[in-house]
Amino acid sequence: MNLEEIKKILPHRDAMLLIDEAELSDGVAYGKKTITGDEWFLQGHFPDNPVVPGVILCEILGQSACVLLSEGNAGTTPFFTGLEKVRFKNSVRPGDVIETQCKLIKNKGVFYWAEGKGFVNGKLCVSAEFSFALIKET
């Protein structure tokens, strides 16, 4: 999926749309985000040694996972409901391309649980288990 196709699935837009590409294969969502160095979250984290904040890495994983729900969920907005077992292994910096792999592990009604990992050049940078709810738009 290119950026325009992703925008049809996710409600996020400029400044908070944090995946550039996505692909579905055998129940796994693969995403990519190129960190250019111009992102708003790098302006103060840390100006002389920019590192992507952990919360942003978690959001990238969450957006990648939501691509798994692209069919049959029009008119809903995904909201994080929990983060567990979050681990940061390596920094993500300007010029890096973070590649994600996410899969759903269960769901109950509007609630979904997923696990995801983010890699730069094959090195694990972040891993997490997380949950979210798909809430109907009002």
Side-chain angles (χ1 to χ4, degrees):
M1 292 179 194
N2 63 30
L3 196 55
E4 291 308 311
E5 293 168 315
I6 292 168
K7 285 181 180 179
K8 292 177 183 174
I9 297 167
L10 295 176
H12 305 77
R13 291 297 178 262
D14 288 339
M16 277 310 294
L17 181 57
L18 298 174
I19 55 175
D20 301 326
E21 300 175 33
E23 179 182 329
L24 297 173
S25 179
D26 296 324
V28 178
Y30 299 91
K32 284 187 183 180
K33 171 65 178 169
T34 300
I35 306 300
T36 64
D38 295 329
E39 291 83 3
W40 61 270
F41 49 80
L42 292 175
Q43 293 175 13
H45 195 270
F46 306 99
D48 296 328
N49 186 23
V51 175
V52 177
V55 68
I56 297 296
L57 296 176
C58 290
E59 180 67 21
I60 291 169
L61 290 177
Q63 289 183 21
S64 297
C66 287
V67 172
L68 290 164
L69 304 172
S70 59
E71 293 185 19
N73 291 300
T76 62
T77 301
F79 288 94
F80 264 129
T81 57
L83 289 165
E84 297 182 31
K85 300 180 183 175
V86 179
R87 300 289 180 263
F88 303 106
K89 301 291 185 178
N90 290 290
S91 298
V92 179
R93 301 176 177 280
D96 288 343
V97 176
I98 183 166
E99 299 185 45
T100 61
Q101 299 175 5
C102 298
K103 65 179 180 177
L104 296 176
I105 50 179
K106 72 176 183 176
N107 89 290
K108 186 173 185 178
V110 299
F111 296 96
Y112 291 82
W113 288 262
E115 57 187 19
K117 295 179 179 178
F119 302 86
V120 172
N121 295 324
K123 291 176 66 176
L124 182 65
C125 295
V126 60
S127 63
E129 292 181 6
F130 46 95
S131 58
F132 52 96
L134 291 180
I135 305 300
K136 288 190 185 271
E137 297 169 2
T138 57

